[in-house]
Amino acid sequence: MHVVGVIAEYNPFHQGHAYQFRAIRERFHDEAAIVAVMSGSFTQRGEAAVLDKWRRADLAVRGGCQLVLELPFLFACRSAQDFARGGVRLLQGLGCVDTLAFGAESPDLAPLMEAACAIDAPETQAALHEALRAGASYAKALTAILQEASGLAANLLRQPNNILAIEYLRAIRVYAQGIEPLLIERRGAGYHEASLGPLASASAIRGELAKAQPDFASLRDSLPEATYTAIRAAFPAEIASTERLFHPLLTRLLTMQGCELEAIFGLQEGLANRLLAKSRQSQTLQELIAGMVTSRYPASRISRIVPHLLLGTGEHAAREAAETGPLYTRVLAFDEVGRELLHTIKERSTLPLITKVSAALNSRERLECDLSPLQAMLALDTRATELRALSLPDSAPLAALHQTDFITSPHFIRIAHHA
C-alpha cells in the first residue's frame, strides 16, 4: 500500500479538496491510501472552524480519504512554517508515509524547491534576521531577499498555497527526507477570491456562510453532496463564528496583569500594550484585529493571538512544541482501509496512537499543574474544542455546546470503495 499524506484544514471540505484526492489516485493508479493531518477546532489563521473537527474529518473520509488525524493546536494555529513543520513531522512519525501531496498555484515543483533551498541558506537567514530587527514584516523581507538572491518572481512567493508548499518542502528537507513531495497544481478560484462556483475557495464558501441568508443554490455547486448536506443541516445553529469570541476576549483582558499578557504566545514586542489600547477603542473583533494590524504584523498573526490568549498558551509552551514536534497521533475518522492503516501505524509509529483521549488525559487531570509534555499539548487541543463551542450561536443545540474530546470517539465511516 502506497501511503500518501496530506496536510489540510478542510474548512470546509470542498470540490477542490475532492479534486486533489482524485489527482492523487490518478497518479498512483488507485493504489494509494490517503492519510490527512487536519487542523482541529481552530485554523492556521486563528479562526474557529465552521464545523467541528469530527464532522470535517467525516466529510474528508466520505470525499476520498482513508484516515484523518488531528494536527495539535500548538501547530495548527501557528505561522505557515510551524504549521508545515508540525504536519510533516507528524506524518514522518507515523513510519509508513511515502509521499506528501500538496496544492500550489505554481504548476512546477522546481522553482518551489529552489525557493525552499534558498530560504535555508545561511546568507538568506542572516539577511532576514537583519531585516526583521529593522522592523520589516517576515513575508515582505523574505520576498525581497529571495528576489535579490535568486531572481525568483515576487508573485511566486506571495501566493498562499505556494508559500505553504515551500514550507512543506523545507520541512521535508529537515525532518522527513524519505518522504517524496507531490505537487498538484491548484485549479479554480484563487485563495482570496470571493466568487462561488465548482472550484470555489474555502474562504469564499466561509464568506457566504457568514451571511444571514447564504445563497445555498450557489453553494451546492461549490461543495460535494455530503458537505452540502452537512452544512445545510448545521446552518445556522452549528456554524461557528470567531466574532462571538470578542466579549470573552474582553473579559479575559480585564482579568490579566501585564506580565501575564506578555507571557502569552504572540504578545511580545509591545503587542500586549497595543492590544489593551485597541480593545478599548473597538466594538467588534474584526475592528480590533484591523486596528492591531501594522506593516510588520499582518492580520493573520494578530488573529492567531485571539485563541492563544483565551486558552492561555504560553510563549514557553510554543517554543517547546517547535523543538519536540507533535507528541502523539490523534485519530478523528477512518474507513475500512484506514483501519488497516492504523494497525500499520501502531506497529511502526514513533508517536503514541490516541483513539481515546481519557486514556492519556482525563478532565480531572487537566486541572493539575504537573502535566507531562504530551498531556499539556493534548490539554490545549481539548480546551480548543470547548472554546470553539463559545463561538456557536445562542441557538446551538446542547449536544454541540457540550461536545468534548473526553466523550467523543473517532468516527468509523463504512465505505466499500472510492470512485
Side-chain angles (χ1 to χ4, degrees), residues 234-264:
F235 187 87
E238 295 179 73
I239 301 295
S241 169
T242 317
E243 183 61 47
R244 296 189 183 98
L245 297 180
F246 181 56
H247 286 103
L249 179 68
L250 295 182
T251 304
R252 177 82 165 135
L253 291 174
L254 279 174
T255 62
M256 296 182 75
Q257 301 295 324
C259 59
E260 293 177 295
L261 270 175
E262 291 170 0
I264 296 295

Side-chain angles (χ1 to χ4, degrees), residues 136-155:
S137 73
Y138 179 87
K140 288 184 178 178
L142 184 59
T143 298
I145 292 164
L146 288 178
Q147 275 187 279
E148 184 177 345
S150 60
L152 290 168
N155 189 51

Side-chain angles (χ1 to χ4, degrees), residues 60-97:
V61 172
R62 294 182 190 283
C65 183
Q66 275 64 65
L67 172 64
V68 181
L69 309 172
E70 181 174 0
L71 180 63
F73 173 80
L74 276 173
F75 304 95
C77 192
R78 293 286 286 275
S79 68
Q81 175 179 298
D82 292 306
F83 177 89
R85 288 184 174 183
V88 168
R89 293 176 79 174
L90 199 157
L91 289 171
Q92 173 67 10
L94 301 182
C96 61
V97 175

Side-chain angles (χ1 to χ4, degrees), residues 371-387:
L371 297 178
S372 70
L374 183 153
Q375 288 177 315
M377 187 177 287
L378 185 57
L380 271 174
D381 295 350
T382 66
R383 288 193 169 103
T385 299
E386 293 163 44
L387 177 62

